Amino acid sequence: MPEQARPEQARWLLIMEKAYRGSVETQFADALYVVPDLHRQSGGGCDLALRGPAVGYAVRTGAPQPPLRLGGRTLDTLPDPRASVTKVLDAGVTVLVEEPDLTALGRTAADRLLPGVQVIEAYGLAARWPSYEQVWFL
């Protein structure tokens, strides 16, 4: 009996461009917390693209961030986006950053990239869009 053709796996592209959005309001989580669940719901077919300031989420800083002081209030429960990116990678999500956005963070940024994050060429993300069934902005 001939083997039946299997439908191709649906691919979803999740894009995050705005860094630290909602961090003060939520304090316990960032927008990346939902990515592993979306990856699971897609059947393991999500890619995450970090663009603009959000590329900083994928770069080790060396020192923990100090608490944030707003007026008379200190916020020391802000989420750690680098830990979130690591969880996303551990869930099997492909994490992409475009080279110009990484370069904008300084000459050593590429050396401090979290293990597993893939650097793609300038405008490489736009060239990939047609291969995705869905494109979401987080």
Side-chain angles (χ1 to χ4, degrees):
M1 178 187 286
E3 189 174 322
Q4 290 185 343
R6 291 174 47 196
E8 284 192 35
Q9 177 180 350
R11 299 293 302 168
W12 298 356
L13 175 61
L14 312 175
I15 300 173
M16 178 172 280
E17 296 178 316
K18 300 195 185 271
Y20 302 99
R21 176 198 227 156
S23 294
V24 172
E25 292 86 349
T26 59
Q27 294 186 35
F28 56 86
D30 52 39
L32 295 173
Y33 80 95
V34 73
V35 173
D37 277 337
L38 290 172
H39 182 64
R40 182 185 50 76
Q41 290 175 22
S42 73
C46 279
D47 295 343
L48 171 66
L50 300 174
R51 298 183 64 201
V55 170
Y57 285 3
V59 177
R60 291 186 302 271
T61 60
Q65 295 297 317
L68 176 64
R69 187 147 179 84
L70 295 172
R73 185 170 182 192
T74 300
L75 300 175
D76 58 0
T77 57
L78 295 175
D80 178 1
R82 284 145 202 95
S84 296
V85 170
T86 299
K87 287 178 187 174
V88 165
L89 288 163
D90 289 346
V93 177
T94 299
V95 178
L96 308 167
V97 298
E98 284 187 326
E99 190 274 331
D101 293 330
L102 183 61
T103 301
L105 296 178
R107 62 181 175 78
T108 65
D111 298 332
R112 295 180 289 122
L113 203 58
L114 294 174
V117 175
Q118 298 177 22
V119 180
I120 60 175
E121 70 282 354
Y123 309 110
L125 189 58
R128 295 171 184 228
W129 278 35
S131 67
Y132 292 100
E133 178 186 18
Q134 298 180 31
V135 178
W136 299 21
F137 285 85
L138 302 178

